[in-house]
Amino acid sequence: MMDRRTDKNAKSERASAKWSKLRRRIGWMTLLALISLACAGYLLLKYAPLPAGATMQSTRILDANGQTIASLKGGVNRPTAKLADISPWLIKATLAVEDRRFYEHAGVDWRGLARAAWVDLRHMAKEQGASTLTQQLARNLYLSHERTWTRKLKEAWYAGRLEQSFSKDEILELYLNQIYYGHGAYGAEAASRLYFNKPAKELTIAESALLAGIPKGPRYYSPHLNPKSSRARQRKVLQAMRETGQITKLQAERAARENVKVRALPEEEERAAPYFAEYVKKIAVERLGIDERLMNEGGLTIRTTLDLRVQRAAEAAVKKGLKGAAEELQTALIAVDPRNGYIKAMVGGRNFRVNQYNRVFASSRQPGSSFKPIVYAAALENRTITAATRFRSEPTLFYFDGARQIYRPSNYNGRYFHEEIGLRQAIAASDNIYAVHTIMQAGPENVIAMARKLGIASPLKAVPSLALGTFPVSPFEMAYAFSVFAGGGIRAEPIAITLVQDRRGKILYESHPRREQVLEPALAYVTTHLLKSVFERGGTARRVSKMLNRPVAGKSGTTDSDAWFVGYTPELTTAVWVGYDRGRSITSGEAHRAAPIFAQFTEEALTDTPPKGFPMPEGVVHAYIDPSSGLLASPACPGEGTVEVFLQGTEPARACGPLGPVVEPETRRSEQPNRHWWKKLRKWWRS
């Protein structure tokens, strides 16, 4: 028994000795491997040559047919300057806001990285950046702007290699000549001349602080595109300079108060769809997350929804429509395909060279009566009115808020019918009294709910004046709202970019149109059928009906300072706005310019598209009604009847008089032909 135990212990000791020997070997091998890797890393870091800087390539923005809209040529404006020829204030401002420990770290600031991680962790969001100037330079020179761990590791390695190869001042000089300051300006010298028309060595504290704040977001902090954000960023840079002891409190306060005069951007050569091209760049950077430097010099291909032929038609219509008008009179036009949400044309103003503000997205313009179709759609949906509903057109007081408040709307130019009118007549003549009656019946909250379903996100208040478009809505929102009517109740997500590819053809982004049925097809059709009356006799757009050779629906809108026309066919929805940027009142003649722009553009844009009607879905019925009573027509009713459309189940069920003849034939012999057509109609109605 003892021998067995001894033998077992001996075997265990031998096994333990073998395992200990194996662990020592593994440990030595691991140590040697780590030493080898460290040596290799050191040798690579010290002696491996840096790659050549990335070659810049132009990014192309293409239309739906592959034609070039714009070519973004990065690096065109890149004069270089020695560090001694750059204002010390710009150097100090840049270091204060971008890399305070630049002269202390070796390329990667591990202390700053830990601090930034701790701040981000505390705020549960990315509050601070952690890239040093050297890392930023390495990224700009040698790497793409993809957000991956592999790129970050390469960035750190290249940063260390740069620190081995160049002095701190040389790295700083390279950085200040490489960094992008927006509007095609690369480097401090180019930016100084672009914004202030002076060499970089002459920059003041205030000017330096403004420039140093731009690279963090060249578009967002551009003094031309976002002056408020630019000034706020400038103050943040001044505060950083004060915290690091670069300037005194008094210098910071004086610089903050200084009125920095920014030079106007130089005029660009005439190019196609400039407002749309800027919009595409904006959503590519802000919505798709594409780095702005990559946008300008990464050789991307951006395919869009725009049709250059349709765009030229839009620009021609605007030019003709504003001919002879005051130079300050502005306009906006946005055209979209209601079937898929594609933007087909965009004109953001009268002259992009003079003013780059895109009025298509202006959120300060009242839509006026062009908002009424949304009111009527809400009322039709909840069955509070129909095409046969009648209200009296005359000055009227409306009580709301529990009868504590009074609203006194009036018709344009004080014109009233002074009798009861139906919905079609109210739409055609743009009667305000009828619209307010409707919103009081339907409920303002339901109208707001309808606006939200149609895609309008602008602030709206549940008050009677909402019916008359008194709350600002952008042309962009109005175009997409009416697209739901044009698309049979389907709301399509707005799309401008369909595909983004890098220089090697790799797909970085591809759109997937999203469509949602938000209205009953029958409701969309009935609304559309009623809006066609605007182009008929007595309609506000009757004078442009001869310019149109296809079925069209739409609505005009006029306020003291805004003129609108929003209309559509099954293939194209267009919103046109005309007015002054400063809210100056428009004249009657200026207000009448919107509809002709719409009409000319629509016909020219669809010149190769055969006229097509709006298809009638299930759930729609026609009824022959007496317009004076809103009831079913009969020979006993005075005047002529008219065919009207209704959502099924909402059509009148009662006639305005007994059906059939009501007078002796001998006393109405001259009316026998009329009775003959009535018998046919009655037979058709009962069948």
Side-chain angles (χ1 to χ4, degrees), residues 182-234:
H183 300 289
Y186 290 81
E189 185 67 23
S192 181
R193 293 188 181 278
L194 175 71
Y195 292 110
F196 307 118
N197 197 27
K198 62 167 64 173
K201 64 166 58 176
E202 297 178 8
L203 291 170
T204 66
I205 296 176
E207 292 166 344
S208 296
L210 188 146
L211 277 191
I214 293 175
K216 182 178 176 64
R219 176 171 296 277
Y220 187 73
Y221 296 117
S222 163
H224 291 293
L225 301 179
N226 294 292
K228 288 185 179 179
S229 298
S230 177
R231 286 284 293 171
R233 177 70 174 163
Q234 180 203 36

Side-chain angles (χ1 to χ4, degrees), residues 230-244:
S230 177
R231 286 284 293 171
R233 177 70 174 163
Q234 180 203 36
R235 288 191 291 271
K236 187 173 182 179
V237 175
L238 290 170
Q239 178 64 24
M241 294 176 74
R242 182 187 166 193
E243 290 173 357
T244 54

Side-chain angles (χ1 to χ4, degrees), residues 456-606:
I456 292 177
S458 293
L460 304 171
K461 290 184 180 180
V463 294
S465 64
L466 174 64
L468 307 186
T470 54
F471 295 93
V473 178
S474 71
F476 185 83
E477 289 178 298
M478 290 297 289
Y480 276 97
F482 275 56
S483 287
V484 179
F485 301 139
I490 295 176
R491 185 177 73 195
E493 180 188 30
I495 295 179
I497 298 175
T498 56
L499 187 72
V500 179
Q501 294 173 291
D502 67 13
R503 66 177 75 187
R504 299 177 184 85
K506 178 184 175 182
I507 295 176
L508 304 180
Y509 167 80
E510 188 172 10
S511 69
H512 299 284
R514 288 188 294 181
R515 304 168 75 242
E516 180 184 3
Q517 188 83 44
V518 295
L519 298 184
E520 297 175 33
L523 174 60
Y525 178 84
V526 169
T527 304
T528 294
H529 199 281
L530 290 164
L531 292 179
K532 292 164 71 174
S533 65
V534 170
F535 298 94
E536 297 168 358
R537 184 179 179 182
T540 55
R542 170 64 177 172
R543 60 196 177 86
V544 301
S545 61
K546 293 181 180 179
M547 300 171 64
L548 296 160
N549 300 309
R550 62 188 67 244
V552 183
K555 187 70 185 74
S556 59
T558 305
T559 72
D560 290 340
S561 56
D562 304 278
W564 294 72
F565 197 91
V566 190
Y568 55 92
T569 70
E571 308 86 4
L572 197 66
T573 303
T574 304
V576 177
W577 168 84
V578 174
Y580 291 93
D581 286 338
R582 302 297 178 185
R584 169 179 154 188
S585 296
I586 56 174
T587 66
S588 175
E590 290 168 341
H592 288 151
R593 292 179 182 270
I597 291 174
F598 165 82
Q600 181 184 332
F601 164 70
T602 299
E603 272 304 311
E604 183 60 31
L606 299 175

